[in-house]
Amino acid sequence: MRIRLCLAALSLAGGAGLATLSAPSATATATTAATTAAAACTDVEVVSARGTFEPGTLGFIVGDPVYSALQKKAAGKSLSSYAVDYPANLSPTSAAQGNADLVNHVRSQAAACPNQRFVLVGYSQGANVVDNSIGISSAGAVVGSPIVATLPAAVEPKVAAVLLFGNPIRALGKSVTGTYQSRTLDICAKGDPVCERGGGDTGAHLSYRDNADEAATFAAGRL
């Protein structure tokens, strides 16, 4: 594979510091799960698909900082979060599993909480997951897959914003088009080899914490 996507490079070189900050403790994970369950019908749910091997509750590089920023930007609205349950590894079926889980979760959540709105967040392989879920195939992209499920038409108006970072389909010359285009912020750092064809700056792919505030502002303006 030409690019060992996302945090594979970080884990092989220079990732020790991040690893130390990485996986949340069992207590923290349990607390987060309990909080999410208790806030099942918040105004807004942030659904985040992390990148390949990315640590963190929603994703150390993207999901966690975006959620924190959105809590500040979305004044007066209650927020909850959901971490897409999928391997986020280099398996050829990984993104497809995430695609299925995201669609199943949002569909059931929308049925349980009819007034709830959603912000979909995807980083790296997680962007493939979100792309597929809104009907844009990531087949042929780095750690991509064919579409296995899409959000139903009844749920589409409930999706306030789609936030994508280091989106692999961009290296194929593709982007989000159609229904979700005006609600999508798709950020590709200059030189990021995962989303920029011919890019050669691996560090750029790990820089998206810097865009959390921009993304939260975009999403908050659409809630």
Side-chain angles (χ1 to χ4, degrees):
M1 180 181 295
R2 185 171 62 87
I3 301 169
R4 306 300 286 181
L5 184 64
C6 189
L7 299 192
L10 187 63
S11 66
L12 291 174
L18 182 57
T20 301
L21 296 170
S22 62
S25 66
T27 301
T29 302
T31 300
T32 300
T35 300
T36 301
C41 284
T42 54
D43 296 326
V44 182
E45 182 169 80
V46 176
V47 179
S48 180
R50 70 195 190 283
T52 307
F53 305 133
E54 186 186 11
T57 303
L58 300 176
F60 175 81
I61 292 173
V62 167
D64 292 341
V66 167
Y67 184 70
S68 294
L70 189 56
Q71 286 179 307
K72 299 172 185 175
K73 299 285 185 181
K77 296 186 183 298
S78 57
L79 268 67
S80 57
S81 64
Y82 177 76
V84 175
D85 184 10
Y86 83 116
N89 60 23
L90 298 175
S91 161
T93 63
S94 177
Q97 291 178 62
N99 175 194
D101 183 73
L102 187 154
V103 171
N104 287 338
H105 173 76
V106 172
R107 186 169 50 203
S108 62
Q109 189 71 11
C113 303
N115 296 320
Q116 192 171 62
R117 302 190 74 194
F118 300 92
V119 174
L120 308 183
V121 180
Y123 166 51
S124 198
Q125 183 178 171
N128 286 338
V129 169
V130 175
D131 289 332
N132 284 6
S133 300
I134 60 175
I136 309 295
S137 176
S138 67
V142 178
V143 199
S145 79
I147 294 170
V148 298
T150 54
L151 294 173
V155 170
E156 175 267 315
K158 299 175 185 291
V159 177
V162 177
L163 308 177
L164 304 172
F165 304 80
N167 188 356
I169 69 169
R170 290 184 53 156
L172 301 177
K174 296 177 63 177
S175 62
V176 173
T177 57
T179 303
Y180 292 93
Q181 184 175 13
S182 64
R183 285 170 271 172
T184 298
L185 179 66
D186 190 347
I187 300 174
C188 179
K190 182 174 177 57
D192 180 349
V194 174
C195 57
E196 180 183 299
R197 186 180 300 169
D201 183 359
T202 302
H205 192 61
L206 308 177
S207 70
Y208 292 105
R209 290 181 69 87
D210 296 341
N211 301 106
D213 193 72
E214 174 191 358
T217 299
F218 178 89
R222 287 156 178 76
L223 293 174

